[in-house]
Amino acid sequence: MKAHPTLQAKDYKSGVKPVWCPGCGHYAVLSALTKALAHLELPREQVALISGIGCSSRLPAYLDSYGFHGVHGRALAVASGLKAARPELTVLVAGGDGDGFSIGGNHFLHACRRNMNLTYIVMDNEVYGMTKGQASPTTEADWTHSKLTPHGTGMRRFQPPAIALAAGASFIARGFAGDPTGLTRLLVEAIQHPGFAFLHVLSPCQTFRPEQK
């Protein structure tokens, strides 16, 4: 049986060009993910990336592996079904703060509880970027830059790592898109973890959160 050839990070990228805004932190996440997969020497046909809806959920199109672009908030449900049916696959899940913590919040809680061997990468830019800048669950209460909430939301922001810890996730980490080397290391550790790994990536939105520059 022929061994798989050694793959480099570029070999995990598809021919589809990302359409994120210039300066978006998600570019760094894509780069770190391909470097992590190359470091782990994972065959592309043994990797599946599942996503929901949002800027971050475009990720499966940019990776040369199996992928599924699901409906809003349901990425973890789809990924859990895939992992149950095909446990030998490396199943990754990608989403954003709106997709993962609002409409997908209930799935997030119970994925932490079930502790299936999934890696959940949430790219948190603290805004609904794809639908033009509404406040998300992780937006601070006094953020006044959205026309829908010109006086702020007045609500306490969602705290993803704390919620994941309370719900029973067995691996919790936070990374930053501005630290691609550190993010690559965290992705390697998350993928290697034999349970539910939650990686909360702070990924600033240059378009709708320019104050985060």
Side-chain angles (χ1 to χ4, degrees):
M1 186 175 180
K2 290 184 68 176
H4 285 279
T6 301
L7 297 174
Q8 299 179 4
K10 63 181 179 62
D11 297 318
Y12 290 92
K13 291 184 179 180
S14 75
V16 180
K17 185 178 180 180
V19 295
W20 295 312
C21 300
C24 178
H26 297 356
Y27 286 101
V29 178
L30 172 61
S31 177
L33 180 56
T34 58
K35 289 176 182 177
L37 294 173
H39 176 81
L40 293 168
E41 299 183 341
L42 291 172
R44 288 171 293 190
E45 66 275 13
Q46 290 295 313
V47 177
L49 178 60
I50 312 300
S51 72
I53 296 296
C55 297
S56 54
S57 292
R58 297 179 183 272
L59 204 62
Y62 308 144
L63 207 66
D64 188 14
S65 68
Y66 286 109
F68 187 87
H69 194 145
V71 295
H72 203 188
R74 305 298 186 261
L76 282 169
V78 174
S80 296
L82 175 60
K83 188 63 180 181
R86 295 288 304 276
E88 75 280 8
L89 294 179
T90 297
V91 180
L92 313 174
V93 192
D97 41 303
D99 183 70
F101 307 138
S102 184
I103 191 170
N106 191 52
H107 293 295
F108 175 56
L109 294 177
H110 296 292
C112 292
R113 287 180 59 231
R114 291 189 189 99
N115 199 32
M116 295 181 74
N117 191 9
L118 304 170
T119 300
Y120 188 31
I121 308 159
V122 177
M123 288 157 267
D124 188 352
N125 52 22
E126 301 177 350
V127 73
Y128 280 94
M130 200 169 184
T131 48
K132 311 306 179 189
Q134 299 98 317
S136 84
T138 56
T139 303
E140 56 270 37
D142 59 353
W143 187 64
T144 59
H145 296 278
S146 171
K147 292 180 181 178
L148 291 179
T149 51
H151 304 291
T153 66
M155 293 185 290
R156 292 178 62 186
R157 67 201 304 180
F158 195 82
Q159 299 292 342
I163 297 296
L165 180 63
S170 55
F171 179 102
I172 302 167
R174 173 178 279 168
F176 175 47
D179 176 21
T181 300
L183 190 55
T184 300
R185 176 179 55 81
L186 288 175
L187 280 163
V188 169
E189 293 177 4
I191 294 169
Q192 288 179 321
H193 177 71
F196 185 76
F198 170 52
L199 179 55
H200 184 219
V201 182
L202 303 179
S203 181
C205 175
Q206 300 293 310
T207 300
F208 295 109
R209 297 299 306 260
E211 73 276 11
Q212 292 185 346
K213 290 182 180 179

